[in-house]
């Protein structure tokens, strides 16, 4: 599906007469291609673990050996990531993926310095039109579905959200989408947000979840990397929605479902295109329809009727009939920021508009 969507994007560009001067990369013999991967966390956490699983799936899909994919784990979002990328370049990597927002500017600079190498960045927004692109997904769609599960499960109508960073479009988009999903089945639901000012800190994640539970939140969700918020939920006898991977095994008595990623789709598409000599510097931003995002299987803990409500919403999104950020939409002060029937653009979802927006029914604690 990625290739079909990519072809449609390129076809539209050509049809409009906006033919870009793409650089040529490849073809490269499959047994010679080398792939570098820069990761913010370890291979077994929620977020980087999902990327690692996707990269391993790419290796399997394309028949690459272990030696052809070089990983750098636990790389900090500062000059350390530049050092790590240079090491991968020195080892002959033809394409380098980086899975965290803070790597973006470093990749942009190195892409200019090394025009013969492809740099592909996750969760940012920059693209130089030559050898540096961006990939991410409409995870807000999956968060909306998980919000339905939370809204049907809560008894206190207080749902806790362990969030990474304030004033970040990706984080706020997830909070807002989750809240909208919960409110779609439970108009009285309120989402209490606490930020940890980090993408991942297992100790702080658990402590923050516990603080939300102390505020009478009986469902805990998260935009942080580990399963510790779900562990905290289980220990307290409440429920939760995880993130990145199915966290039911870590909290079998608490977990409801989790927004999940299929990173293997984009990794397979990009590396295969590089091998074939057809790689282009286009951005990937796909959702439920393209199966890049989803939710994990509903656990035994969900409320009755959850599956039906989620399927109803999923069908509307996948068909294109409706999307999550369709008006009317109101900010925390109750002011209308999107009129009925209007839909936020991708630029608004990924940019300043969303970074500055929290909707009615969301409270930062």
């Amino acid at each position: 599906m990625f290739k079909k969507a990519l072809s449609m994007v390129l076809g539209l560009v050509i049809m409009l007469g906006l033919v870009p001067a793409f650089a040529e990369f490849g073809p490269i013999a499959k047994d010679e291609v080398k792939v570098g991967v820069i990761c913010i966390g370890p291979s077994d956490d929620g977020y980087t673990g999902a990327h690692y699983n996707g990269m391993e799936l790419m290796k399997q899909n394309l028949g690459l050996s272990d030696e052809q994919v070089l990983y750098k784990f636990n790389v900090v979002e500062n000059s350390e990531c530049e050092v790590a990328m240079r090491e991968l370049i020195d080892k002959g990597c033809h394409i380098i993926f980086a899975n965290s927002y803070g790597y973006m500017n470093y990749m942009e600079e190195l892409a200019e310095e090394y025009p013969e190498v492809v740099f592909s960045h996750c969760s940012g927004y920059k693209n130089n039109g030559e050898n540096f692109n961006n990939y991410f997904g409409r995870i807000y769609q999956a968060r909306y579905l998980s919000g339905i599960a939370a809204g049907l499960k809560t008894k206190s109508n207080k749902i806790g959200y362990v969030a990474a960073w304030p004033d970040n479009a990706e984080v706020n988009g997830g909070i807002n989408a989750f809240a909208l999903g919960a409110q779609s089945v439970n108009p009285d639901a309120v989402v209490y947000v606490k930020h940890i000012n980090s993408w991942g800190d297992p100790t702080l994640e658990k402590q923050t979840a516990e603080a939300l539970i102390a505020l009478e939140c009986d469902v805990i969700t998260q935009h942080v990397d580990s399963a510790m918020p779900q562990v905290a939920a289980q220990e307290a006898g409440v429920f939760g929605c995880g993130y990145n991977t199915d966290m039911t095994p870590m909290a079998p008595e608490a977990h409801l479902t989790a927004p999940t990623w299929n990173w293997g789709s984009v990794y397979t598409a990009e590396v295969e295109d590089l091998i074939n000599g057809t790689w282009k510097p286009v951005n990937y931003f796909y959702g439920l329809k393209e199966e890049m995002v989803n939710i994990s299987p509903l656990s035994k803990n969900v409320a009755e009727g959850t599956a039906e409500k989620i399927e109803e919403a999923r069908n509307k999104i996948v068909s294109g009939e409706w999307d999550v950020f369709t008006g009317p939409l109101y900010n925390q002060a109750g002011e209308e920021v999107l009129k009925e029937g209007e839909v936020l653009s991708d630029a608004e979802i990924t940019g300043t508009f969303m970074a500055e927006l929290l909707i009615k029914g969301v409270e930062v604690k």
Side-chain angles (χ1 to χ4, degrees), residues 149-159 186 189 216-219:
L152 290 172
K153 190 66 179 180
T154 180
K155 300 298 184 184
S156 67
N157 292 329
K158 297 177 182 179
I159 302 172
N186 183 349
E216 301 182 346
C217 293
D218 59 357
V219 180

Side-chain angles (χ1 to χ4, degrees), residues 42-338:
S43 63
D44 60 352
D45 79 354
Y47 180 68
T48 290
H51 283 272
Y52 176 75
N53 292 339
M55 192 61 64
E56 291 297 297
L57 179 60
M58 179 278 293
K59 282 166 52 177
Q60 178 182 331
N61 289 342
L62 300 183
L64 305 189
S65 67
D66 291 344
E67 292 74 21
Q68 289 178 268
V69 179
L70 309 180
Y71 291 101
K72 295 281 188 180
F73 294 111
N74 298 305
V75 180
V76 182
E77 294 171 304
N78 58 24
S79 59
E80 287 185 27
C81 74
E82 179 183 346
V83 173
M85 281 184 266
R86 289 186 183 277
E87 290 176 355
L88 293 174
I89 294 168
D90 290 342
K91 291 182 181 295
C93 289
H94 300 94
I95 184 169
I96 297 174
F97 294 97
N99 81 338
S100 195
Y101 188 89
Y103 300 147
M104 179 171 60
N105 292 337
Y106 295 95
M107 289 202 91
E108 182 182 35
E109 292 178 5
L110 286 175
E112 184 175 352
E113 185 176 347
Y114 295 95
E116 73 282 3
V117 177
V118 171
F119 295 85
S120 194
H121 177 253
C122 177
S123 78
Y125 57 89
K126 292 186 176 181
N127 183 320
N128 69 1
E130 297 178 2
N131 65 326
F132 174 47
N133 75 327
N134 179 72
Y135 63 100
F136 202 55
R138 300 181 187 277
I139 195 64
Y140 65 87
Q141 294 177 339
R143 286 202 184 276
Y144 182 92
L145 300 185
S146 69
I148 293 174
L152 290 172
K153 190 66 179 180
T154 180
K155 300 298 184 184
S156 67
N157 292 329
K158 297 177 182 179
I159 302 172
Y161 200 115
V162 182
W165 299 95
D167 306 320
N168 177 283
E170 178 189 342
V171 176
N172 282 7
I175 294 168
N176 292 330
F178 178 86
L180 288 169
Q183 293 165 7
S184 73
V185 293
N186 183 349
D188 296 325
V190 177
V191 177
Y192 289 179
V193 177
K194 280 185 174 291
H195 299 94
I196 68 168
N197 296 307
S198 169
W199 293 115
D201 181 329
T203 299
L204 189 55
E205 291 170 34
K206 187 177 183 184
Q207 291 173 345
T208 304
E210 291 168 342
L212 288 164
I213 293 167
L215 294 174
E216 301 182 346
C217 293
D218 59 357
V219 180
I220 299 297
T221 193
Q222 62 184 85
H223 187 159
V224 288
D225 289 351
S226 84
M228 294 312 294
Q230 304 309 303
V231 173
Q234 176 158 299
E235 290 178 354
V238 299
F239 299 94
C241 297
Y243 181 41
N244 293 306
T245 58
D246 185 359
M247 293 182 171
T248 304
M250 284 72 85
E253 302 305 316
H255 196 245
L256 304 175
T257 187
T260 59
W261 291 97
N262 178 20
W263 296 111
S265 297
V266 66
Y267 290 144
T268 299
E270 289 209 56
V271 176
E272 185 173 30
D273 282 346
L274 188 62
I275 291 170
N276 293 334
T278 56
W279 186 89
K280 305 297 182 186
V282 297
N283 288 346
Y284 293 78
F285 190 45
Y286 299 139
L288 288 170
K289 181 179 180 180
E290 298 84 6
E291 300 177 359
M292 187 172 180
V293 303
N294 206 338
I295 57 171
S296 64
L298 300 180
S299 78
K300 64 180 182 179
N301 304 313
V302 299
E304 185 177 351
T306 299
E308 292 79 6
K309 287 294 185 181
I310 286 177
E311 193 62 21
E312 180 183 338
R314 179 196 296 274
N315 289 339
K316 289 169 63 178
I317 294 170
V318 171
S319 69
E321 173 188 348
W322 176 87
D323 200 11
V324 172
F325 296 119
T326 301
L329 197 62
Y330 302 89
N331 64 17
Q332 287 177 301
E335 301 164 337
E336 187 177 68
V337 294
L338 191 68

